[in-house]
mmCIF file of all heavy atoms in Angstrom:
data_model
loop_
_atom_site.group_PDB
_atom_site.id
_atom_site.type_symbol
_atom_site.label_atom_id
_atom_site.label_comp_id
_atom_site.label_asym_id
_atom_site.label_seq_id
_atom_site.Cartn_x
_atom_site.Cartn_y
_atom_site.Cartn_z
ATOM 1 N N GLY M 16 13.169 0.392 -20.430
ATOM 2 C CA GLY M 16 12.619 -0.669 -19.599
ATOM 3 C C GLY M 16 11.137 -0.734 -19.562
ATOM 4 O O GLY M 16 10.404 -0.207 -20.398
ATOM 5 N N VAL M 17 10.642 -1.457 -18.601
ATOM 6 C CA VAL M 17 9.144 -1.591 -18.356
ATOM 7 C C VAL M 17 8.769 -0.658 -17.258
ATOM 8 O O VAL M 17 9.319 -0.721 -16.144
ATOM 9 C CB VAL M 17 8.739 -3.015 -18.023
ATOM 10 C CG1 VAL M 17 7.321 -3.150 -17.694
ATOM 11 C CG2 VAL M 17 9.131 -3.987 -19.185
ATOM 12 N N GLN M 18 7.798 0.205 -17.542
ATOM 13 C CA GLN M 18 7.430 1.213 -16.550
ATOM 14 C C GLN M 18 5.901 1.009 -16.279
ATOM 15 O O GLN M 18 5.093 1.200 -17.115
ATOM 16 C CB GLN M 18 7.651 2.619 -17.092
ATOM 17 C CG GLN M 18 9.048 2.944 -17.498
ATOM 18 C CD GLN M 18 9.970 2.956 -16.324
ATOM 19 O OE1 GLN M 18 9.640 3.220 -15.193
ATOM 20 N NE2 GLN M 18 11.280 2.606 -16.575
ATOM 21 N N PHE M 19 5.637 0.605 -15.052
ATOM 22 C CA PHE M 19 4.251 0.457 -14.606
ATOM 23 C C PHE M 19 3.890 1.728 -13.778
ATOM 24 O O PHE M 19 4.619 2.070 -12.828
ATOM 25 C CB PHE M 19 4.001 -0.770 -13.794
ATOM 26 C CG PHE M 19 3.928 -2.043 -14.563
ATOM 27 C CD1 PHE M 19 5.013 -2.907 -14.578
ATOM 28 C CD2 PHE M 19 2.875 -2.330 -15.477
ATOM 29 C CE1 PHE M 19 4.950 -4.121 -15.355
ATOM 30 C CE2 PHE M 19 2.793 -3.408 -16.250
ATOM 31 C CZ PHE M 19 3.863 -4.298 -16.168
ATOM 32 N N VAL M 20 2.888 2.385 -14.207
ATOM 33 C CA VAL M 20 2.501 3.704 -13.585
ATOM 34 C C VAL M 20 1.446 3.447 -12.521
ATOM 35 O O VAL M 20 0.351 2.863 -12.804
ATOM 36 C CB VAL M 20 1.955 4.684 -14.695
ATOM 37 C CG1 VAL M 20 1.517 5.924 -14.050
ATOM 38 C CG2 VAL M 20 3.050 4.926 -15.730
ATOM 39 N N ASP M 21 1.708 3.890 -11.324
ATOM 40 C CA ASP M 21 0.740 3.828 -10.196
ATOM 41 C C ASP M 21 -0.524 4.621 -10.509
ATOM 42 O O ASP M 21 -0.433 5.622 -11.160
ATOM 43 C CB ASP M 21 1.338 4.218 -8.890
ATOM 44 C CG ASP M 21 2.427 3.408 -8.418
ATOM 45 O OD1 ASP M 21 2.414 2.118 -8.740
ATOM 46 O OD2 ASP M 21 3.369 3.783 -7.720
ATOM 47 N N ARG M 22 -1.629 4.224 -9.939
ATOM 48 C CA ARG M 22 -2.965 4.814 -10.019
ATOM 49 C C ARG M 22 -3.434 5.025 -11.457
ATOM 50 O O ARG M 22 -3.907 6.024 -11.838
ATOM 51 C CB ARG M 22 -2.916 6.184 -9.292
ATOM 52 C CG ARG M 22 -2.648 6.016 -7.785
ATOM 53 C CD ARG M 22 -2.628 7.323 -6.985
ATOM 54 N NE ARG M 22 -1.824 8.326 -7.506
ATOM 55 C CZ ARG M 22 -0.460 8.431 -7.499
ATOM 56 N NH1 ARG M 22 0.168 7.442 -6.842
ATOM 57 N NH2 ARG M 22 0.155 9.430 -8.012
ATOM 58 N N ALA M 23 -3.030 4.005 -12.276
ATOM 59 C CA ALA M 23 -3.451 4.037 -13.689
ATOM 60 C C ALA M 23 -3.850 2.605 -14.150
ATOM 61 O O ALA M 23 -3.134 1.655 -13.664
ATOM 62 C CB ALA M 23 -2.340 4.586 -14.638
ATOM 63 N N GLY M 24 -4.882 2.523 -14.933
ATOM 64 C CA GLY M 24 -5.205 1.189 -15.489
ATOM 65 C C GLY M 24 -4.997 1.269 -17.049
ATOM 66 O O GLY M 24 -3.945 1.735 -17.493
ATOM 67 N N HIS M 25 -5.910 0.798 -17.783
ATOM 68 C CA HIS M 25 -5.730 0.682 -19.197
ATOM 69 C C HIS M 25 -5.532 2.079 -19.920
ATOM 70 O O HIS M 25 -4.999 2.130 -20.979
ATOM 71 C CB HIS M 25 -7.000 -0.088 -19.772
ATOM 72 C CG HIS M 25 -6.796 -0.417 -21.216
ATOM 73 N ND1 HIS M 25 -5.922 -1.409 -21.670
ATOM 74 C CD2 HIS M 25 -7.371 0.030 -22.393
ATOM 75 C CE1 HIS M 25 -5.903 -1.496 -22.998
ATOM 76 N NE2 HIS M 25 -6.830 -0.668 -23.416
ATOM 77 N N TRP M 26 -6.069 3.097 -19.381
ATOM 78 C CA TRP M 26 -6.057 4.350 -19.901
ATOM 79 C C TRP M 26 -4.902 5.231 -19.360
ATOM 80 O O TRP M 26 -5.102 6.347 -19.007
ATOM 81 C CB TRP M 26 -7.401 5.105 -19.700
ATOM 82 C CG TRP M 26 -8.604 4.106 -19.791
ATOM 83 C CD1 TRP M 26 -9.339 3.656 -18.748
ATOM 84 C CD2 TRP M 26 -9.071 3.454 -20.960
ATOM 85 N NE1 TRP M 26 -10.263 2.766 -19.221
ATOM 86 C CE2 TRP M 26 -10.158 2.656 -20.577
ATOM 87 C CE3 TRP M 26 -8.728 3.456 -22.288
ATOM 88 C CZ2 TRP M 26 -10.823 1.800 -21.445
ATOM 89 C CZ3 TRP M 26 -9.411 2.702 -23.165
ATOM 90 C CH2 TRP M 26 -10.481 1.786 -22.743
ATOM 91 N N VAL M 27 -3.760 4.656 -19.236
ATOM 92 C CA VAL M 27 -2.616 5.274 -18.506
ATOM 93 C C VAL M 27 -2.371 6.654 -18.924
ATOM 94 O O VAL M 27 -2.089 7.540 -18.089
ATOM 95 C CB VAL M 27 -1.381 4.380 -18.618
ATOM 96 C CG1 VAL M 27 -0.871 4.159 -20.065
ATOM 97 C CG2 VAL M 27 -0.263 4.824 -17.745
ATOM 98 N N GLN M 28 -2.372 7.003 -20.235
ATOM 99 C CA GLN M 28 -2.103 8.334 -20.703
ATOM 100 C C GLN M 28 -3.162 9.386 -20.279
ATOM 101 O O GLN M 28 -2.811 10.484 -20.148
ATOM 102 C CB GLN M 28 -1.905 8.324 -22.204
ATOM 103 C CG GLN M 28 -3.122 8.209 -23.049
ATOM 104 C CD GLN M 28 -3.656 6.763 -23.079
ATOM 105 O OE1 GLN M 28 -3.193 5.850 -22.573
ATOM 106 N NE2 GLN M 28 -4.825 6.709 -23.762
ATOM 107 N N GLN M 29 -4.336 8.857 -20.057
ATOM 108 C CA GLN M 29 -5.401 9.772 -19.518
ATOM 109 C C GLN M 29 -5.440 9.861 -18.044
ATOM 110 O O GLN M 29 -5.717 10.906 -17.459
ATOM 111 C CB GLN M 29 -6.811 9.361 -20.049
ATOM 112 C CG GLN M 29 -6.978 9.592 -21.529
ATOM 113 C CD GLN M 29 -8.339 8.999 -22.040
ATOM 114 O OE1 GLN M 29 -8.356 7.932 -22.519
ATOM 115 N NE2 GLN M 29 -9.384 9.756 -21.855
ATOM 116 N N GLU M 30 -5.246 8.708 -17.394
ATOM 117 C CA GLU M 30 -5.381 8.592 -15.955
ATOM 118 C C GLU M 30 -4.184 9.360 -15.254
ATOM 119 O O GLU M 30 -4.391 9.920 -14.189
ATOM 120 C CB GLU M 30 -5.437 7.149 -15.459
ATOM 121 C CG GLU M 30 -6.782 6.472 -15.920
ATOM 122 C CD GLU M 30 -6.746 5.000 -15.505
ATOM 123 O OE1 GLU M 30 -6.959 4.737 -14.254
ATOM 124 O OE2 GLU M 30 -6.589 4.150 -16.412
ATOM 125 N N GLN M 31 -3.012 9.207 -15.861
ATOM 126 C CA GLN M 31 -1.787 9.824 -15.224
ATOM 127 C C GLN M 31 -0.936 10.546 -16.315
ATOM 128 O O GLN M 31 0.128 10.187 -16.640
ATOM 129 C CB GLN M 31 -0.948 8.727 -14.531
ATOM 130 C CG GLN M 31 -1.724 8.144 -13.363
ATOM 131 C CD GLN M 31 -1.930 9.079 -12.251
ATOM 132 O OE1 GLN M 31 -1.194 10.075 -12.079
ATOM 133 N NE2 GLN M 31 -3.020 8.885 -11.491
ATOM 134 N N PRO M 32 -1.514 11.614 -16.957
ATOM 135 C CA PRO M 32 -0.827 12.161 -18.040
ATOM 136 C C PRO M 32 0.523 12.826 -17.680
ATOM 137 O O PRO M 32 1.465 12.776 -18.470
ATOM 138 C CB PRO M 32 -1.814 13.295 -18.526
ATOM 139 C CG PRO M 32 -2.707 13.547 -17.425
ATOM 140 C CD PRO M 32 -2.759 12.262 -16.648
ATOM 141 N N ASP M 33 0.641 13.405 -16.489
ATOM 142 C CA ASP M 33 1.877 14.027 -16.165
ATOM 143 C C ASP M 33 2.927 13.020 -15.906
ATOM 144 O O ASP M 33 4.115 13.190 -16.430
ATOM 145 C CB ASP M 33 1.712 14.862 -14.831
ATOM 146 C CG ASP M 33 0.845 16.053 -14.968
ATOM 147 O OD1 ASP M 33 0.590 16.487 -16.203
ATOM 148 O OD2 ASP M 33 0.325 16.559 -14.005
ATOM 149 N N ARG M 34 2.685 11.915 -15.329
ATOM 150 C CA ARG M 34 3.616 10.821 -15.116
ATOM 151 C C ARG M 34 4.047 10.196 -16.471
ATOM 152 O O ARG M 34 5.296 10.018 -16.639
ATOM 153 C CB ARG M 34 3.163 9.725 -14.136
ATOM 154 C CG ARG M 34 4.091 8.609 -13.911
ATOM 155 C CD ARG M 34 5.306 9.135 -13.103
ATOM 156 N NE ARG M 34 6.246 8.010 -12.958
ATOM 157 C CZ ARG M 34 7.570 8.174 -13.168
ATOM 158 N NH1 ARG M 34 8.050 9.344 -13.492
ATOM 159 N NH2 ARG M 34 8.314 7.159 -12.986
ATOM 160 N N VAL M 35 3.162 9.971 -17.352
ATOM 161 C CA VAL M 35 3.492 9.392 -18.629
ATOM 162 C C VAL M 35 4.305 10.363 -19.417
ATOM 163 O O VAL M 35 5.264 10.008 -20.045
ATOM 164 C CB VAL M 35 2.212 8.999 -19.421
ATOM 165 C CG1 VAL M 35 2.535 8.673 -20.904
ATOM 166 C CG2 VAL M 35 1.456 7.821 -18.746
ATOM 167 N N SER M 36 3.958 11.649 -19.388
ATOM 168 C CA SER M 36 4.750 12.621 -20.123
ATOM 169 C C SER M 36 6.160 12.727 -19.570
ATOM 170 O O SER M 36 7.132 12.817 -20.369
ATOM 171 C CB SER M 36 4.095 14.041 -19.996
ATOM 172 O OG SER M 36 2.896 14.047 -20.648
ATOM 173 N N THR M 37 6.358 12.627 -18.273
ATOM 174 C CA THR M 37 7.683 12.689 -17.639
ATOM 175 C C THR M 37 8.497 11.401 -18.069
ATOM 176 O O THR M 37 9.645 11.516 -18.412
ATOM 177 C CB THR M 37 7.544 12.697 -16.082
ATOM 178 O OG1 THR M 37 6.899 13.915 -15.715
ATOM 179 C CG2 THR M 37 8.896 12.629 -15.414
ATOM 180 N N LEU M 38 7.834 10.331 -18.100
ATOM 181 C CA LEU M 38 8.579 9.053 -18.555
ATOM 182 C C LEU M 38 9.000 9.188 -20.003
ATOM 183 O O LEU M 38 10.115 8.865 -20.342
ATOM 184 C CB LEU M 38 7.659 7.821 -18.417
ATOM 185 C CG LEU M 38 7.392 7.338 -16.960
ATOM 186 C CD1 LEU M 38 6.304 6.289 -16.968
ATOM 187 C CD2 LEU M 38 8.670 6.660 -16.461
ATOM 188 N N VAL M 39 8.169 9.731 -20.830
ATOM 189 C CA VAL M 39 8.441 9.857 -22.264
ATOM 190 C C VAL M 39 9.580 10.897 -22.491
ATOM 191 O O VAL M 39 10.585 10.609 -23.178
ATOM 192 C CB VAL M 39 7.243 10.192 -23.120
ATOM 193 C CG1 VAL M 39 7.654 10.605 -24.572
ATOM 194 C CG2 VAL M 39 6.279 9.016 -23.102
ATOM 195 N N VAL M 40 9.531 12.005 -21.803
ATOM 196 C CA VAL M 40 10.496 13.061 -21.926
ATOM 197 C C VAL M 40 11.825 12.517 -21.410
ATOM 198 O O VAL M 40 12.902 12.734 -22.033
ATOM 199 C CB VAL M 40 10.111 14.349 -21.186
ATOM 200 C CG1 VAL M 40 11.210 15.343 -21.125
ATOM 201 C CG2 VAL M 40 8.895 15.015 -22.021
ATOM 202 N N ASP M 41 11.878 11.852 -20.212
ATOM 203 C CA ASP M 41 13.117 11.334 -19.655
ATOM 204 C C ASP M 41 13.698 10.276 -20.621
ATOM 205 O O ASP M 41 14.919 10.277 -20.847
ATOM 206 C CB ASP M 41 12.852 10.690 -18.263
ATOM 207 C CG ASP M 41 12.634 11.754 -17.207
ATOM 208 O OD1 ASP M 41 12.872 12.975 -17.491
ATOM 209 O OD2 ASP M 41 12.242 11.335 -16.090
ATOM 210 N N PHE M 42 12.834 9.452 -21.211
ATOM 211 C CA PHE M 42 13.310 8.461 -22.126
ATOM 212 C C PHE M 42 13.979 9.140 -23.379
ATOM 213 O O PHE M 42 15.035 8.753 -23.793
ATOM 214 C CB PHE M 42 12.212 7.606 -22.598
ATOM 215 C CG PHE M 42 12.453 6.713 -23.808
ATOM 216 C CD1 PHE M 42 13.245 5.601 -23.628
ATOM 217 C CD2 PHE M 42 11.970 7.013 -25.026
ATOM 218 C CE1 PHE M 42 13.508 4.760 -24.769
ATOM 219 C CE2 PHE M 42 12.241 6.204 -26.102
ATOM 220 C CZ PHE M 42 13.033 5.127 -25.919
ATOM 221 N N LEU M 43 13.332 10.142 -23.940
ATOM 222 C CA LEU M 43 13.925 10.843 -25.043
ATOM 223 C C LEU M 43 15.197 11.595 -24.743
ATOM 224 O O LEU M 43 16.059 11.566 -25.549
ATOM 225 C CB LEU M 43 12.865 11.797 -25.615
ATOM 226 C CG LEU M 43 11.626 11.209 -26.254
ATOM 227 C CD1 LEU M 43 10.598 12.210 -26.588
ATOM 228 C CD2 LEU M 43 12.018 10.371 -27.526
ATOM 229 N N ARG M 44 15.272 12.092 -23.519
ATOM 230 C CA ARG M 44 16.464 12.850 -23.090
ATOM 231 C C ARG M 44 17.701 11.933 -22.796
ATOM 232 O O ARG M 44 18.745 12.146 -23.138
ATOM 233 C CB ARG M 44 16.238 13.692 -21.863
ATOM 234 C CG ARG M 44 15.446 14.879 -22.178
ATOM 235 C CD ARG M 44 15.446 15.894 -20.924
ATOM 236 N NE ARG M 44 14.660 17.056 -21.237
ATOM 237 C CZ ARG M 44 13.800 17.689 -20.465
ATOM 238 N NH1 ARG M 44 13.631 17.112 -19.202
ATOM 239 N NH2 ARG M 44 13.154 18.756 -20.848
ATOM 240 N N ASN M 45 17.334 10.807 -22.172
ATOM 241 C CA ASN M 45 18.346 9.996 -21.549
ATOM 242 C C ASN M 45 18.535 8.575 -22.187
ATOM 243 O O ASN M 45 19.642 8.071 -22.109
ATOM 244 C CB ASN M 45 18.158 9.772 -20.073
ATOM 245 C CG ASN M 45 17.896 11.014 -19.269
ATOM 246 O OD1 ASN M 45 18.719 11.994 -19.547
ATOM 247 N ND2 ASN M 45 16.938 11.146 -18.441
ATOM 248 N N GLY M 46 17.493 8.037 -22.708
ATOM 249 C CA GLY M 46 17.630 6.691 -23.216
ATOM 250 C C GLY M 46 17.561 6.452 -24.664
ATOM 251 O O GLY M 46 18.217 5.604 -25.213
ATOM 252 N N ALA M 47 16.812 7.322 -25.387
ATOM 253 C CA ALA M 47 16.569 7.116 -26.779
ATOM 254 C C ALA M 47 17.866 7.244 -27.630
ATOM 255 O O ALA M 47 17.978 6.636 -28.708
ATOM 256 C CB ALA M 47 15.513 7.992 -27.326
ATOM 257 N N GLY M 48 18.788 8.040 -27.168
ATOM 258 C CA GLY M 48 20.004 8.255 -27.960
ATOM 259 C C GLY M 48 21.119 7.203 -27.707
ATOM 260 O O GLY M 48 22.162 7.252 -28.395
#
């Protein structure tokens, strides 16, 4: 889906690295397959 990360602007992976990492890991574990 579309995931908008709170407290982040254009530099989402820098501004909220833990949240972005969690989204990616959850996607790979649960959605990508």
Side-chain angles (χ1 to χ4, degrees):
V17 173
Q18 304 293 330
F19 285 107
V20 177
D21 292 332
R22 296 179 313 283
H25 189 70
W26 324 107
V27 63
Q28 74 284 357
Q29 287 176 265
E30 294 177 71
Q31 296 297 328
D33 293 340
R34 181 66 184 133
V35 171
S36 294
T37 297
L38 286 169
V39 171
V40 168
D41 288 350
F42 169 74
L43 292 172
R44 283 188 181 141
N45 305 317

